[in-house]
Amino acid sequence: MSSGPGAASAPATDPHDSPPTSDAPPRKSSMFSSLKVRNYRLFFMGQVVSNIGTWMQRIAQDWLVLSLTGSSAAVGITTALQFLPMLLFGLYGGVLVDRLRKRPALLVTQTSMALTAIALAVLTLTGHVQVWHVYVAAFAVGLATVVDNPARQSFVSELVGPGQLQNAVSLNSANFQSARLVGPAVAGLLITGVGTGYAFLFNGLSFIAPLTGLLLMRARELHVVERAPRGKGQLREGVRYVTGRPELIWPIVLVGFVGTFAFNFPVYLSAFADDVFHAGAGAYSMFNTLMAVGSVAGALLAARRGTARLRLLIVAAIAFGALEILAATTPTLWMFALLMVPLGLFGMTVNVTTNTSIQMSTDPAMRGRVMALYMMVFLGGSPVGAPIVGWVTDTYGARVGLAAGGAVAVLAAAVIGLVLARVGDLRLSVGWHRGYPSVRFVPRERREELAPAA
């Protein structure tokens, strides 16, 4: 499908270009270069405030349900209800995003999430809240996310264009992970000081920032893309589009395996803190904080790279899995804790590289559906995999559970790397490059068949 005149996004790449092999060093960019774009700067600043509120609500929501019911299962139901709409309707959300203008769609979704948070705040502060109110609020937020997630992901390319897409996606990730360091801490202070209701209220009011940013944007400076017309079979069209392109389907498959089996850190880290090191909630909090530090570093490093190569994705996924296996064998708490930083770094590299490479390889008119599929696999993997990895961890121990998750990531990355190499007609080359050991994929040497002499 043509991107149409005036579309400012990169066309889909040829599958043979998926694992780039150029010897030229990747183009570097300023770490914050996309912030020079006024519209993106407004978007970024709004997300800074909103992401802090989002993390505050996550903590307050779980604590409220636990205090109302005393049941961890009820907390799990709340989380499942928030992810369920994405699993059920994620692809339909992508179809809507491709048909709609992104900015008005985001104004609607962000407003709906703000009103949901404020309603929950009013119920909590007046003492009328019941657990079913929280269930309904979680499901309502999940419904809004069905459209909001793919719309926000694909809107970034309209804000900055293809030249700054890698940088902008990376800064978005750094933004979210930085809020992960601040939001839970602020939520803890509010919950212990004045109650959970004020955390919900702060989250509701925090949406003023992104809504104001969206309203202040200059429409003429957006990199407008052609919207998909209303028609039948657009959902099937999106699935066929992805499955027919190796540079799209295989990274999504890889993220599915990694997200389902290797990214279930609430299960792994809580088990290590409690059962392995017997250090309690303080160690669990420390593990998450150190991982967030690594994630921010990974996102900022990705922001300096000018390209998103699938070769980097494969290497990062293998390193991520190998680090999980190594962490599973560590004898002391401090060794385990220190490994959380590189784990966060390589995990974020996998996320950012996948996100950027998929967006750059997708026709703009299909981007909403493709990103919806990606988000459905990425966000839906953890809830689906959590019972599996939880059973393995409970039955065989936390070390076996974490090592198994890492092994799945390594195996999936290695197999998909070989598949992409075969699709790109590449071979493995081991040698020296600029004075350093080098293991890389290079094009196969094609021998021209000589015609027989006359």
Side-chain angles (χ1 to χ4, degrees):
M1 185 179 295
S2 171
S3 61
S9 296
T13 59
D14 189 287
H16 297 280
D17 294 333
S18 297
T21 59
S22 172
D23 290 338
R27 178 175 55 85
K28 299 288 183 67
S29 62
S30 167
M31 187 175 289
F32 304 101
S33 59
S34 56
L35 289 177
K36 296 175 183 177
V37 180
R38 180 182 181 276
N39 282 344
Y40 178 73
R41 189 163 62 248
L42 289 168
F43 179 82
F44 182 88
M45 293 170 64
Q47 292 301 308
V48 168
V49 179
S50 182
N51 283 335
I52 292 174
T54 296
W55 279 107
M56 290 176 64
Q57 173 138 337
R58 286 188 180 186
I59 300 300
Q61 179 176 275
D62 291 347
W63 187 261
L64 177 60
V65 171
L66 193 61
S67 64
L68 288 173
T69 65
S71 168
S72 296
V75 177
I77 291 172
T78 308
T79 302
L81 286 170
Q82 194 157 328
F83 282 104
L84 185 62
M86 179 61 74
L87 289 173
L88 295 177
F89 312 119
L91 290 177
Y92 293 97
V95 172
L96 283 175
V97 168
D98 281 335
R99 292 176 181 173
L100 301 172
R101 288 186 297 158
K102 308 298 185 297
R103 187 162 62 141
L106 286 171
L107 286 169
V108 172
T109 58
Q110 299 274 296
T111 299
S112 66
M113 287 190 283
L115 294 175
T116 301
I118 291 172
L120 198 54
V122 170
L123 287 169
T124 306
L125 292 172
T126 58
H128 292 94
V129 68
Q130 299 180 38
V131 69
W132 71 267
H133 293 143
V134 186
Y135 288 165
V136 170
F139 189 76
V141 170
L143 283 176
T145 302
V146 168
V147 174
D148 187 79
N149 261 342
R152 277 191 295 108
Q153 297 286 335
S154 54
F155 188 49
V156 172
S157 64
E158 295 188 20
L159 292 170
V160 299
Q164 296 285 355
L165 184 58
Q166 161 89 5
N167 183 264
V169 169
S170 302
L171 289 182
N172 280 353
S173 299
N175 185 333
F176 187 74
Q177 294 300 327
S178 298
R180 180 181 172 186
L181 296 174
V182 177
V186 177
L189 292 174
L190 283 177
I191 291 170
T192 57
V194 292
T196 54
Y198 286 96
F200 297 133
L201 181 61
F202 181 94
N203 182 44
L205 296 177
S206 74
F207 284 96
I208 294 174
L211 289 170
T212 301
L214 288 167
L215 292 171
L216 291 177
M217 288 177 185
R218 296 169 181 164
R220 65 181 182 276
E221 295 179 7
L222 293 174
H223 298 256
V224 181
V225 300
E226 179 185 354
R227 284 180 285 152
R230 182 183 295 272
K232 294 182 178 180
Q234 290 181 322
L235 182 60
R236 292 191 300 272
E237 181 187 14
V239 174
R240 284 197 302 268
Y241 181 86
V242 172
T243 55
R245 286 164 172 76
E247 73 277 16
L248 295 179
I249 184 61
W250 290 113
I252 291 176
V253 170
L254 176 57
V255 164
F257 277 105
V258 174
T260 300
F261 298 103
F263 260 91
N264 270 288
F265 288 110
V267 176
Y268 295 137
L269 299 187
S270 59
F272 266 84
D274 191 36
D275 300 332
V276 177
F277 298 120
H278 309 290
Y284 178 62
S285 176
M286 179 180 65
F287 296 157
N288 279 281
T289 299
L290 289 172
M291 183 167 286
V293 170
S295 298
V296 172
L300 292 177
L301 286 174
R304 288 188 59 84
R305 288 191 293 269
T307 56
R309 298 186 174 189
L310 293 185
R311 179 174 62 191
L312 174 63
L313 170 61
I314 299 300
V315 171
I318 290 175
F320 177 75
L323 281 167
E324 284 199 337
I325 296 172
L326 178 61
T329 65
T330 53
T332 66
L333 183 148
W334 290 107
M335 290 178 65
F336 183 84
L338 288 175
L339 285 174
M340 293 301 102
V341 176
L343 265 173
L345 189 152
F346 282 105
M348 182 54 60
T349 301
V350 171
N351 291 346
V352 172
T353 305
T354 305
N355 189 317
T356 310
S357 64
I358 288 174
Q359 291 210 49
M360 293 297 293
S361 300
T362 302
D363 189 300
M366 301 291 295
R367 189 167 284 144
R369 278 163 282 183
V370 174
M371 293 310 296
L373 179 61
Y374 163 69
M375 295 304 298
M376 186 175 71
V377 171
F378 180 66
L379 293 178
S382 291
V384 170
I388 300 172
V389 300
W391 176 82
V392 173
T393 300
D394 286 342
T395 305
Y396 300 102
R399 294 188 185 278
V400 173
L402 182 58
V408 170
V410 171
L411 182 61
V415 170
I416 290 172
L418 292 174
V419 170
L420 288 172
R422 184 178 181 85
V423 169
D425 198 22
L426 306 175
R427 64 176 178 83
L428 187 66
S429 172
V430 180
W432 292 82
H433 180 64
R434 297 179 181 174
Y436 296 94
S438 173
V439 179
R440 54 187 175 146
F441 288 105
V442 299
R444 296 182 185 275
E445 296 179 1
R446 298 181 179 274
R447 297 181 179 179
E448 296 181 0
E449 296 182 1
L450 297 177

